[in-house]
Amino acid sequence: MLVEGGIGHQSARVTVATARLLHAAGVHVEVLSWNPLSLAGSTRAVSRVVRLPDAETAAESFADVSRDRLVLPTSDAAALGLSLPGSGLVDKRALYAHARERGVPVPATDVYPDAESLRAAAGSLAYPVILKPAIGKPVIRARSAADVEPFLRRVQPATAIVVQAVLHGRVRAVAGVARAGALLGVVHQVAIRGWPSASGTTTAAVTTAPDLALEALTAALVFDHDGIFHAQFLDGNVLDLNLRPYGSIALAAAAGLNLPALCAAPDAHGSDEPIRGRPGVRYRWIEADIRLAVARIRRSPGQTLSIAWEHRPRPGTAHGDASTVRDLGPAFGRLRLGRSHSRGQP
């Protein structure tokens, strides 16, 4: 069973991608959802959707519908709403404390308890800095105090906010499946582009040869976790940890590692060595990557050709949000949602 919470398209596309991977492995897929933007019912990979009005109702129903089934949350809201294992690490304050206990480097970090406390301190921060809520998004790079207020308008007033030093390089990720302290499957990837900035959600990535130092750090982070994981690092420091399916999970499958299927049948892996994803496989989240290209061209119209070339389609690229000829439902669902929003409907 997939558990989909939240209110956004992100959890919807993760649910669809994960359902397709399970369906491809012959797994019967059901979804528990309180996401009003859910596309779970539109994909042929899902046999049944249990729709509930909110997380509280879902928690009350969860025990009845999840007994003796594989349960995968496809959003932070789902993990938190049902208090699933590892849900506490959705809060970056808990994650960074956990990382320090395990000897995993963390960026220089300050935490402000709410929006007003950060607003009061905005003039004294050592810019540039990274700003992000302790739970959820957005993640932005603030170059001066002028960038703080627009960020604060996008978060709830009582939200705790993490302020971190800017690190350099590309975001790297180690993803896979863990069980009983062992890594059953591992894929390494590096982000090429992100939305709305390089520090945001990955819009393009490529798998790489294993970085064994990062893999060891990841193993320390997920030592007591059973299931899918996705750890992000920058300059050797952990940025985020998802103990659930994630946005670019289709990339792992394209590289030969179907993580949801491995999670559903962990005993099928009989080796002491983890299954490894192939390097050199590309991924692109088409919708966000096009929006990023348009935003870049508007900022730098003189570089239109070079930006267009960088964002060009590439053969063999995995597209986690793309519909296939055999499963067009999610694509039509997105069109219907778009028309509803343009008419002012919820």
Side-chain angles (χ1 to χ4, degrees):
M1 166 166 286
L2 305 182
V3 183
E4 177 187 57
I7 59 172
H9 291 302
Q10 173 71 352
S11 65
R13 74 186 187 90
V14 174
T15 302
V16 170
T18 306
R20 285 172 171 166
L21 294 177
L22 287 169
H23 182 71
V27 178
H28 178 81
V29 182
E30 297 184 355
V31 176
L32 175 69
S33 177
W34 62 96
N35 181 359
L37 300 182
S38 176
L39 298 174
S42 64
T43 172
R44 297 177 63 183
V46 173
S47 61
R48 176 173 176 252
V49 180
V50 179
R51 296 189 182 276
L52 298 167
D54 50 42
E56 183 177 352
T57 306
E60 294 172 355
S61 306
F62 180 59
D64 294 332
V65 297
S66 64
R67 190 176 294 112
D68 299 324
R69 304 181 191 183
L70 169 70
V71 176
L72 295 175
T74 58
S75 70
D76 290 344
L80 286 169
L82 302 184
S83 299
L84 296 176
S87 60
L89 298 184
V90 167
D91 189 322
K92 296 177 182 64
R93 295 168 294 183
L95 168 61
Y96 297 145
H98 172 74
R100 293 186 185 102
E101 290 174 358
R102 300 295 177 93
V104 179
V106 173
T109 300
D110 291 314
V111 179
Y112 292 84
D114 51 39
E116 189 55 42
S117 61
L118 176 59
R119 183 178 287 112
S124 60
L125 299 181
Y127 296 99
V129 295
I130 299 296
L131 304 178
K132 49 191 171 184
I135 299 177
K137 292 180 171 39
V139 179
I140 73 158
R141 177 171 176 163
R143 294 172 175 80
S144 69
D147 294 329
V148 173
E149 193 58 37
F151 168 81
L152 293 179
R153 287 197 291 268
R154 299 175 63 186
V155 302
Q156 295 297 318
T159 299
I161 297 166
V162 173
V163 178
Q164 291 181 329
V166 172
L167 301 176
H168 300 286
R170 285 182 169 177
V171 175
R172 304 187 67 87
V174 182
V177 173
R179 189 185 189 201
L183 303 184
L184 302 186
V186 184
V187 61
H188 292 248
Q189 66 186 65
V190 60
I192 299 172
R193 295 182 294 273
W195 171 262
S197 66
S199 56
T201 302
T202 298
T203 66
V206 62
T207 55
T208 67
D211 183 325
L212 297 182
L214 287 186
E215 190 169 305
L217 294 177
T218 303
L221 287 172
V222 303
F223 180 78
D224 53 1
H225 174 63
D226 287 343
I228 294 173
F229 63 84
H230 175 258
Q232 291 182 306
F233 297 88
L234 184 54
D235 194 25
N237 294 263
V238 64
L239 299 180
D240 203 359
L241 176 65
N242 296 311
L243 298 180
R244 57 169 177 79
Y246 53 95
S248 58
I249 196 168
L251 174 57
L257 189 53
N258 185 331
L259 299 181
L262 180 59
C263 193
D267 294 331
H269 176 55
S271 172
D272 292 335
E273 289 296 316
I275 305 170
R276 295 194 176 277
R278 297 189 309 274
V281 181
R282 290 181 172 269
Y283 164 84
R284 189 182 186 207
W285 176 14
I286 298 175
E287 178 183 344
D289 206 44
I290 291 175
R291 291 170 65 191
L292 175 61
V294 171
R296 293 179 65 194
I297 289 171
R298 286 175 176 170
R299 290 194 301 265
S300 306
Q303 299 179 24
T304 296
L305 290 180
S306 62
I307 293 171
W309 178 253
E310 182 183 341
H311 287 254
R312 71 191 184 280
R314 294 172 183 263
T317 297
H319 300 109
D321 57 333
S323 288
T324 65
V325 173
R326 294 183 179 181
D327 190 27
L328 289 171
F332 289 126
R334 287 301 305 273
L335 288 174
R336 288 194 297 271
L337 287 172
R339 285 198 300 269
S340 296
H341 291 164
S342 65
R343 296 169 183 162
Q345 299 175 6

